[in-house]
Amino acid sequence: MNRKKADELSKVFSLDVVQSRYSDWGNFYGLVQFYPCALWDRSGYIVFANEHELKIPEISVSKRINIPKGISSLKNYKRVFSDTQIPEELPDVVEYREGAVQSIRVNKYERDKKARDACLSHYGYVCQICRVKLSDIYGDVANELIHVHHIKPISEIGESYKVNPVSDLIPICPNCHAVIHLKIPPYLPSELIAMLQGATPTE
């Protein structure tokens, strides 16, 4: 469990919580003492407004919180790190906008698939970090499998902004995408490239 990571994630995603807890697999957590509280796993989070909300059959509370199937199995779980998107045809437009904030309980950011497709139209489906094209390894089944990484994290955007699909976005493979988010804020693409070349990453 990593309290610092949980606190940083809650801050990055502007969660209005008093306490945060993190567990990679979303099943074992330390006791919650203050509410509202956010429980995080590697893909998302769930917020509990009060102690009563923890008293459900899926959760066992003793010396620590035990959620056998993980928080992702719970009703109000929010997935924020999934980046699987279906490619669309690139329209004949030259300006893209994304990051429009909808303030409900937690800020939601609109990701423009058109900007993603414009990025892929420029770079193709080769990871710009490790230079791997997954279809070269797995065949046609992975023909268009790639993640598009926002170099400036979506969560830091306070208003709708003009996106440059070439300079603001970068296609990277799932492995490199996982590594780039191992710290907050994420590593820069140049830092990951340096890691592959044997340099020591900056903290």
Side-chain angles (χ1 to χ4, degrees):
M1 290 175 287
N2 188 324
R3 293 185 183 183
K4 182 179 179 181
K5 184 172 184 177
D7 290 340
E8 289 175 341
L9 285 168
S10 292
K11 182 178 180 180
V12 165
F13 284 88
S14 303
L15 300 190
D16 185 17
V17 296
V18 179
Q19 189 173 18
S20 299
R21 292 281 187 264
Y22 179 90
S23 168
D24 270 342
W25 300 107
N27 47 6
F28 293 112
Y29 296 89
L31 284 178
V32 174
Q33 298 172 300
F34 306 101
Y35 297 89
C37 175
L39 300 185
W40 285 88
D41 65 10
R42 60 176 59 188
S43 298
Y45 67 91
I46 186 168
V47 172
F48 294 96
N50 51 58
E51 184 178 4
H52 177 73
E53 292 187 356
L54 282 172
K55 295 179 179 179
I56 58 176
E58 295 86 353
I59 300 177
S60 172
V61 179
S62 55
K63 292 184 178 180
R64 61 179 177 176
I65 295 173
N66 180 11
I67 309 171
K69 294 184 178 180
I71 61 173
S72 62
S73 67
L74 302 179
K75 181 179 179 181
N76 295 321
Y77 177 78
K78 305 290 185 182
R79 186 176 299 275
V80 295
F81 291 122
S82 175
D83 201 13
T84 302
Q85 298 176 331
I86 300 174
E88 297 176 342
E89 293 183 2
L90 178 64
D92 295 327
V93 292
V94 294
E95 187 172 292
Y96 307 90
R97 292 187 178 275
E98 63 177 278
V101 180
Q102 297 176 351
S103 181
I104 306 175
R105 176 179 175 82
V106 178
N107 286 335
K108 292 183 178 179
Y109 298 88
E110 298 175 351
R111 296 190 179 210
D112 190 343
K113 293 182 181 180
K114 297 174 185 177
R116 167 191 165 88
D117 291 343
C119 170
L120 294 176
S121 177
H122 176 82
Y123 289 105
Y125 289 83
V126 175
C127 176
Q128 298 300 298
I129 304 296
C130 66
R131 308 305 302 176
V132 166
K133 187 176 183 181
L134 293 175
S135 61
D136 290 343
I137 300 173
Y138 299 101
D140 290 344
V141 69
N143 192 39
E144 294 184 345
L145 178 58
I146 195 74
H147 288 187
V148 170
H149 173 65
H150 295 70
I151 296 174
K152 180 178 178 63
I154 288 292
S155 57
E156 293 182 5
I157 299 167
E159 59 185 20
S160 184
Y161 76 112
K162 183 177 178 180
V163 175
N164 184 319
V166 175
S167 61
D168 292 339
L169 308 178
I170 183 173
I172 56 180
C173 70
N175 281 350
C176 288
H177 203 190
V179 174
I180 214 167
H181 282 288
L182 285 179
K183 79 178 185 76
I184 300 173
Y187 287 108
L188 295 173
S190 59
E191 291 180 298
L192 255 68
I193 292 171
M195 290 182 204
L196 291 176
Q197 296 173 346
T200 302
T202 57
E203 295 297 333

